[in-house]
Amino acid sequence: MSRNKWGSRSLITIAAVALALSAGCSSSTNNGKNASSTPAAESAKPKEKVTVKVWANTRHDIEVRESLIKKFNETNPDNIQIDYKVYSDNYDEQLKLALNAGKLPDIAYNISADLINADYPMDLNSLITPDIRKRFDKSALTAPPTSKNGELDRVFENVTNLKLVYNKDLFKASGLDPEKPPTTWQEMQQYAKQITASGGGKKFGLGLPIKQTVFWRYYVIYPAAVSGDIYGREGWNAVTGKFDFSPFAKYVKWWIDVNKEGSVFPGVGNYDNDMIRAQFSEGNIGMLSAATWDIGVFNDQFPAKIDWAVADFPTWGGKVLGGPAYETASGFSINKKSEHLEAAKKVWEFFLSDEMFVALAKKGLGSFTNLAAQEKSIQPKDRKGSEGFVINGKSMNYPMAPRLDYSVVNPPLKVGSIDIKKSGVVNDVMTELFIKGKDLPEIEKSLQELGDAFNKLTTANVEAKTVELNKYLQPDFKPLK
């Protein structure tokens, strides 16, 4: 099987670790002595139960993961019990509270910069066996520029493509061609107005799930890629070596305008992504931003009662100037200070198992770097929407932004009244601008201040030797192949 299914860039589906289950030992006697006194009998005694706490922030895959966790808890020979908890709304806050209280989990998914700076993750390089290297694409096992001294703090398991999904039934009912999704943001605005106008106060053109503020990444930053407006993730420009949020001003203003026009599903700011995806599946929303894992969401978690399709995001000016964005991301990290470190390693191996990734892939819950799941991750015949999320030669994996230690500047820098003390502040600033309905000059001013603050913070990190800037520079990067 090719290790490069989607072209010259290495992103693929996942492969996993096989769990070896030991057989029970003999309980016979030895020289007439009680069996309990023999070495074999001693090894046959039930091992004391060890609970390994695992935290995650993804709800869409919980059914598959919990089913396999139940099986693991019932069958593993080491009497390990996985205590699996999902915090989808306030995950970073929960991790920070646990950090401050000294009660961090044994394993955590998608750890925050706070945990990396606090020296939470174990270096996984020593656990990457030749078998694991055979089962995963190399992109999953390469230490990212965010790591310390080449340490591997997680195996990147997801290959996530970002696209626009749209309701073909609503398009048709609104007089729009269901085979022609919008090609520009201006056209998308008009489509949204038309869908809302014909929706009788029950159906709306768009949804915006910013109760979870991270979704500005999916509704502004990544959609801006096809217009040539990003040269790295999270506002980082890998060519200039500076943060620059100014290209996003026009998109934030666009969302303010369509919301004022009444084209956004009511209650924006009060609903999360699950709530808005459920409304889309019910047929009440015309267009949403979506990720690869939403194949499973719209087929299984919230089975769509509509005819829906997948398209590239529209461009700002009518010309494609950047490749559609995808990213390799996410993975489980081990708490290097865990009281049950050996058990945690076995649980980490379980989460990397082929069985885990194939089960996730068969449900359409994503594309993965695990090779065993490669052929199962995209199933056009029986998984609606799958073909639209295939990563192709146009797709781009944009450069990663520096991992900043926000504590090196104290007191923290500010944009307006908002402290620059976490990576998510980008989303907080956009949310405030949206809620206050700011005009374009004010949006541009705030995003310029945000970029200035991040660049000052980057300089402080370089001086404090917490960031090696050259790791994040790609002077020859081009957003369009």
PDB file of all heavy atoms in Angstrom, residues 392-413:
ATOM      1  N   ASN A 392      -6.619  16.249  -2.052  1.00  0.00           N
ATOM      2  CA  ASN A 392      -6.097  16.063  -3.403  1.00  0.00           C
ATOM      3  C   ASN A 392      -4.868  16.927  -3.645  1.00  0.00           C
ATOM      4  O   ASN A 392      -4.330  17.527  -2.713  1.00  0.00           O
ATOM      5  CB  ASN A 392      -7.195  16.374  -4.432  1.00  0.00           C
ATOM      6  CG  ASN A 392      -7.772  17.770  -4.247  1.00  0.00           C
ATOM      7  OD1 ASN A 392      -7.048  18.721  -3.973  1.00  0.00           O
ATOM      8  ND2 ASN A 392      -9.086  17.897  -4.391  1.00  0.00           N
ATOM      9  N   GLY A 393      -4.442  16.973  -4.871  1.00  0.00           N
ATOM     10  CA  GLY A 393      -3.219  17.692  -5.202  1.00  0.00           C
ATOM     11  C   GLY A 393      -3.269  19.185  -4.941  1.00  0.00           C
ATOM     12  O   GLY A 393      -2.224  19.846  -4.840  1.00  0.00           O
ATOM     13  N   LYS A 394      -4.472  19.746  -4.835  1.00  0.00           N
ATOM     14  CA  LYS A 394      -4.588  21.186  -4.560  1.00  0.00           C
ATOM     15  C   LYS A 394      -4.445  21.498  -3.075  1.00  0.00           C
ATOM     16  O   LYS A 394      -4.134  22.632  -2.695  1.00  0.00           O
ATOM     17  CB  LYS A 394      -5.955  21.701  -5.028  1.00  0.00           C
ATOM     18  CG  LYS A 394      -6.243  21.570  -6.505  1.00  0.00           C
ATOM     19  CD  LYS A 394      -7.581  22.216  -6.846  1.00  0.00           C
ATOM     20  CE  LYS A 394      -8.733  21.589  -6.082  1.00  0.00           C
ATOM     21  NZ  LYS A 394     -10.030  22.239  -6.364  1.00  0.00           N
ATOM     22  N   SER A 395      -4.724  20.514  -2.223  1.00  0.00           N
ATOM     23  CA  SER A 395      -4.796  20.750  -0.776  1.00  0.00           C
ATOM     24  C   SER A 395      -3.439  21.142  -0.201  1.00  0.00           C
ATOM     25  O   SER A 395      -2.392  20.712  -0.679  1.00  0.00           O
ATOM     26  CB  SER A 395      -5.316  19.499  -0.072  1.00  0.00           C
ATOM     27  OG  SER A 395      -6.568  19.098  -0.600  1.00  0.00           O
ATOM     28  N   MET A 396      -3.490  21.961   0.864  1.00  0.00           N
ATOM     29  CA  MET A 396      -2.259  22.476   1.467  1.00  0.00           C
ATOM     30  C   MET A 396      -2.267  22.266   2.977  1.00  0.00           C
ATOM     31  O   MET A 396      -3.267  22.540   3.636  1.00  0.00           O
ATOM     32  CB  MET A 396      -2.108  23.977   1.179  1.00  0.00           C
ATOM     33  CG  MET A 396      -1.911  24.325  -0.282  1.00  0.00           C
ATOM     34  SD  MET A 396      -0.310  23.791  -0.936  1.00  0.00           S
ATOM     35  CE  MET A 396       0.789  24.871  -0.035  1.00  0.00           C
ATOM     36  N   ASN A 397      -1.125  21.801   3.486  1.00  0.00           N
ATOM     37  CA  ASN A 397      -0.904  21.714   4.928  1.00  0.00           C
ATOM     38  C   ASN A 397      -0.093  22.951   5.316  1.00  0.00           C
ATOM     39  O   ASN A 397       1.111  23.006   5.074  1.00  0.00           O
ATOM     40  CB  ASN A 397      -0.158  20.425   5.265  1.00  0.00           C
ATOM     41  CG  ASN A 397      -0.074  20.168   6.761  1.00  0.00           C
ATOM     42  OD1 ASN A 397      -0.695  20.873   7.553  1.00  0.00           O
ATOM     43  ND2 ASN A 397       0.683  19.173   7.150  1.00  0.00           N
ATOM     44  N   TYR A 398      -0.744  23.950   5.875  1.00  0.00           N
ATOM     45  CA  TYR A 398      -0.096  25.240   6.110  1.00  0.00           C
ATOM     46  C   TYR A 398       0.876  25.172   7.295  1.00  0.00           C
ATOM     47  O   TYR A 398       0.659  24.415   8.249  1.00  0.00           O
ATOM     48  CB  TYR A 398      -1.162  26.320   6.322  1.00  0.00           C
ATOM     49  CG  TYR A 398      -1.866  26.681   5.032  1.00  0.00           C
ATOM     50  CD1 TYR A 398      -2.934  25.916   4.568  1.00  0.00           C
ATOM     51  CD2 TYR A 398      -1.432  27.729   4.241  1.00  0.00           C
ATOM     52  CE1 TYR A 398      -3.559  26.212   3.355  1.00  0.00           C
ATOM     53  CE2 TYR A 398      -2.050  28.044   3.031  1.00  0.00           C
ATOM     54  CZ  TYR A 398      -3.110  27.279   2.603  1.00  0.00           C
ATOM     55  OH  TYR A 398      -3.719  27.568   1.397  1.00  0.00           O
ATOM     56  N   PRO A 399       1.961  25.963   7.240  1.00  0.00           N
ATOM     57  CA  PRO A 399       2.989  25.902   8.281  1.00  0.00           C
ATOM     58  C   PRO A 399       2.438  26.191   9.676  1.00  0.00           C
ATOM     59  O   PRO A 399       1.545  27.031   9.849  1.00  0.00           O
ATOM     60  CB  PRO A 399       3.982  26.995   7.854  1.00  0.00           C
ATOM     61  CG  PRO A 399       3.782  27.143   6.381  1.00  0.00           C
ATOM     62  CD  PRO A 399       2.313  26.901   6.159  1.00  0.00           C
ATOM     63  N   MET A 400       3.029  25.517  10.651  1.00  0.00           N
ATOM     64  CA  MET A 400       2.594  25.687  12.029  1.00  0.00           C
ATOM     65  C   MET A 400       3.124  26.992  12.617  1.00  0.00           C
ATOM     66  O   MET A 400       4.209  27.461  12.264  1.00  0.00           O
ATOM     67  CB  MET A 400       3.081  24.519  12.894  1.00  0.00           C
ATOM     68  CG  MET A 400       2.441  23.192  12.514  1.00  0.00           C
ATOM     69  SD  MET A 400       2.968  21.837  13.589  1.00  0.00           S
ATOM     70  CE  MET A 400       2.084  22.263  15.094  1.00  0.00           C
ATOM     71  N   ALA A 401       2.330  27.569  13.520  1.00  0.00           N
ATOM     72  CA  ALA A 401       2.723  28.801  14.210  1.00  0.00           C
ATOM     73  C   ALA A 401       3.612  28.468  15.401  1.00  0.00           C
ATOM     74  O   ALA A 401       3.536  27.368  15.956  1.00  0.00           O
ATOM     75  CB  ALA A 401       1.480  29.551  14.688  1.00  0.00           C
ATOM     76  N   PRO A 402       4.466  29.392  15.825  1.00  0.00           N
ATOM     77  CA  PRO A 402       5.287  29.150  17.012  1.00  0.00           C
ATOM     78  C   PRO A 402       4.438  28.874  18.247  1.00  0.00           C
ATOM     79  O   PRO A 402       3.369  29.472  18.421  1.00  0.00           O
ATOM     80  CB  PRO A 402       6.062  30.468  17.173  1.00  0.00           C
ATOM     81  CG  PRO A 402       6.051  31.092  15.828  1.00  0.00           C
ATOM     82  CD  PRO A 402       4.755  30.690  15.205  1.00  0.00           C
ATOM     83  N   ARG A 403       4.918  27.970  19.085  1.00  0.00           N
ATOM     84  CA  ARG A 403       4.260  27.719  20.366  1.00  0.00           C
ATOM     85  C   ARG A 403       4.845  28.708  21.365  1.00  0.00           C
ATOM     86  O   ARG A 403       5.996  28.608  21.752  1.00  0.00           O
ATOM     87  CB  ARG A 403       4.498  26.278  20.835  1.00  0.00           C
ATOM     88  CG  ARG A 403       3.878  25.987  22.193  1.00  0.00           C
ATOM     89  CD  ARG A 403       4.194  24.593  22.653  1.00  0.00           C
ATOM     90  NE  ARG A 403       5.604  24.332  22.730  1.00  0.00           N
ATOM     91  CZ  ARG A 403       6.384  24.717  23.742  1.00  0.00           C
ATOM     92  NH1 ARG A 403       5.868  25.397  24.734  1.00  0.00           N
ATOM     93  NH2 ARG A 403       7.663  24.440  23.738  1.00  0.00           N
ATOM     94  N   LEU A 404       4.039  29.674  21.745  1.00  0.00           N
ATOM     95  CA  LEU A 404       4.519  30.776  22.584  1.00  0.00           C
ATOM     96  C   LEU A 404       4.282  30.500  24.061  1.00  0.00           C
ATOM     97  O   LEU A 404       3.247  29.943  24.439  1.00  0.00           O
ATOM     98  CB  LEU A 404       3.810  32.074  22.182  1.00  0.00           C
ATOM     99  CG  LEU A 404       4.003  32.521  20.723  1.00  0.00           C
ATOM    100  CD1 LEU A 404       3.137  33.729  20.438  1.00  0.00           C
ATOM    101  CD2 LEU A 404       5.468  32.812  20.426  1.00  0.00           C
ATOM    102  N   ASP A 405       5.236  30.897  24.870  1.00  0.00           N
ATOM    103  CA  ASP A 405       5.066  30.882  26.319  1.00  0.00           C
ATOM    104  C   ASP A 405       4.563  32.276  26.705  1.00  0.00           C
ATOM    105  O   ASP A 405       5.298  33.260  26.641  1.00  0.00           O
ATOM    106  CB  ASP A 405       6.397  30.579  27.006  1.00  0.00           C
ATOM    107  CG  ASP A 405       6.273  30.487  28.524  1.00  0.00           C
ATOM    108  OD1 ASP A 405       5.243  30.947  29.059  1.00  0.00           O
ATOM    109  OD2 ASP A 405       7.195  29.977  29.170  1.00  0.00           O
ATOM    110  N   TYR A 406       3.290  32.355  27.078  1.00  0.00           N
ATOM    111  CA  TYR A 406       2.661  33.652  27.334  1.00  0.00           C
ATOM    112  C   TYR A 406       3.120  34.273  28.649  1.00  0.00           C
ATOM    113  O   TYR A 406       2.913  35.465  28.882  1.00  0.00           O
ATOM    114  CB  TYR A 406       1.134  33.498  27.296  1.00  0.00           C
ATOM    115  CG  TYR A 406       0.639  33.164  25.914  1.00  0.00           C
ATOM    116  CD1 TYR A 406       0.630  31.841  25.463  1.00  0.00           C
ATOM    117  CD2 TYR A 406       0.223  34.142  25.030  1.00  0.00           C
ATOM    118  CE1 TYR A 406       0.213  31.519  24.181  1.00  0.00           C
ATOM    119  CE2 TYR A 406      -0.194  33.837  23.751  1.00  0.00           C
ATOM    120  CZ  TYR A 406      -0.196  32.524  23.333  1.00  0.00           C
ATOM    121  OH  TYR A 406      -0.593  32.210  22.054  1.00  0.00           O
ATOM    122  N   SER A 407       3.756  33.476  29.495  1.00  0.00           N
ATOM    123  CA  SER A 407       4.185  33.993  30.803  1.00  0.00           C
ATOM    124  C   SER A 407       5.450  34.827  30.721  1.00  0.00           C
ATOM    125  O   SER A 407       5.827  35.475  31.699  1.00  0.00           O
ATOM    126  CB  SER A 407       4.406  32.827  31.777  1.00  0.00           C
ATOM    127  OG  SER A 407       5.536  32.048  31.397  1.00  0.00           O
ATOM    128  N   VAL A 408       6.136  34.842  29.555  1.00  0.00           N
ATOM    129  CA  VAL A 408       7.393  35.596  29.476  1.00  0.00           C
ATOM    130  C   VAL A 408       7.145  37.098  29.467  1.00  0.00           C
ATOM    131  O   VAL A 408       8.078  37.876  29.658  1.00  0.00           O
ATOM    132  CB  VAL A 408       8.239  35.179  28.250  1.00  0.00           C
ATOM    133  CG1 VAL A 408       8.600  33.712  28.310  1.00  0.00           C
ATOM    134  CG2 VAL A 408       7.541  35.524  26.945  1.00  0.00           C
ATOM    135  N   VAL A 409       5.909  37.520  29.209  1.00  0.00           N
ATOM    136  CA  VAL A 409       5.552  38.942  29.288  1.00  0.00           C
ATOM    137  C   VAL A 409       4.544  39.099  30.419  1.00  0.00           C
ATOM    138  O   VAL A 409       3.434  38.580  30.355  1.00  0.00           O
ATOM    139  CB  VAL A 409       4.942  39.454  27.963  1.00  0.00           C
ATOM    140  CG1 VAL A 409       4.488  40.899  28.117  1.00  0.00           C
ATOM    141  CG2 VAL A 409       5.951  39.328  26.830  1.00  0.00           C
ATOM    142  N   ASN A 410       4.946  39.800  31.440  1.00  0.00           N
ATOM    143  CA  ASN A 410       4.089  39.965  32.618  1.00  0.00           C
ATOM    144  C   ASN A 410       4.248  41.373  33.183  1.00  0.00           C
ATOM    145  O   ASN A 410       5.372  41.792  33.478  1.00  0.00           O
ATOM    146  CB  ASN A 410       4.476  38.926  33.679  1.00  0.00           C
ATOM    147  CG  ASN A 410       3.432  38.801  34.766  1.00  0.00           C
ATOM    148  OD1 ASN A 410       2.272  39.153  34.565  1.00  0.00           O
ATOM    149  ND2 ASN A 410       3.848  38.338  35.914  1.00  0.00           N
ATOM    150  N   PRO A 411       3.154  42.147  33.306  1.00  0.00           N
ATOM    151  CA  PRO A 411       1.782  41.768  33.008  1.00  0.00           C
ATOM    152  C   PRO A 411       1.573  41.548  31.508  1.00  0.00           C
ATOM    153  O   PRO A 411       2.352  42.061  30.704  1.00  0.00           O
ATOM    154  CB  PRO A 411       0.966  42.971  33.499  1.00  0.00           C
ATOM    155  CG  PRO A 411       1.906  44.125  33.420  1.00  0.00           C
ATOM    156  CD  PRO A 411       3.247  43.562  33.755  1.00  0.00           C
ATOM    157  N   PRO A 412       0.531  40.795  31.156  1.00  0.00           N
ATOM    158  CA  PRO A 412       0.333  40.463  29.742  1.00  0.00           C
ATOM    159  C   PRO A 412       0.005  41.683  28.898  1.00  0.00           C
ATOM    160  O   PRO A 412      -0.537  42.683  29.392  1.00  0.00           O
ATOM    161  CB  PRO A 412      -0.845  39.479  29.778  1.00  0.00           C
ATOM    162  CG  PRO A 412      -1.549  39.736  31.072  1.00  0.00           C
ATOM    163  CD  PRO A 412      -0.488  40.171  32.031  1.00  0.00           C
ATOM    164  N   LEU A 413       0.362  41.604  27.635  1.00  0.00           N
ATOM    165  CA  LEU A 413      -0.030  42.630  26.679  1.00  0.00           C
ATOM    166  C   LEU A 413      -1.548  42.579  26.499  1.00  0.00           C
ATOM    167  O   LEU A 413      -2.197  41.593  26.849  1.00  0.00           O
ATOM    168  CB  LEU A 413       0.661  42.373  25.335  1.00  0.00           C
ATOM    169  CG  LEU A 413       2.199  42.376  25.373  1.00  0.00           C
ATOM    170  CD1 LEU A 413       2.759  41.773  24.092  1.00  0.00           C
ATOM    171  CD2 LEU A 413       2.712  43.796  25.565  1.00  0.00           C
TER     172      LEU A 413
END
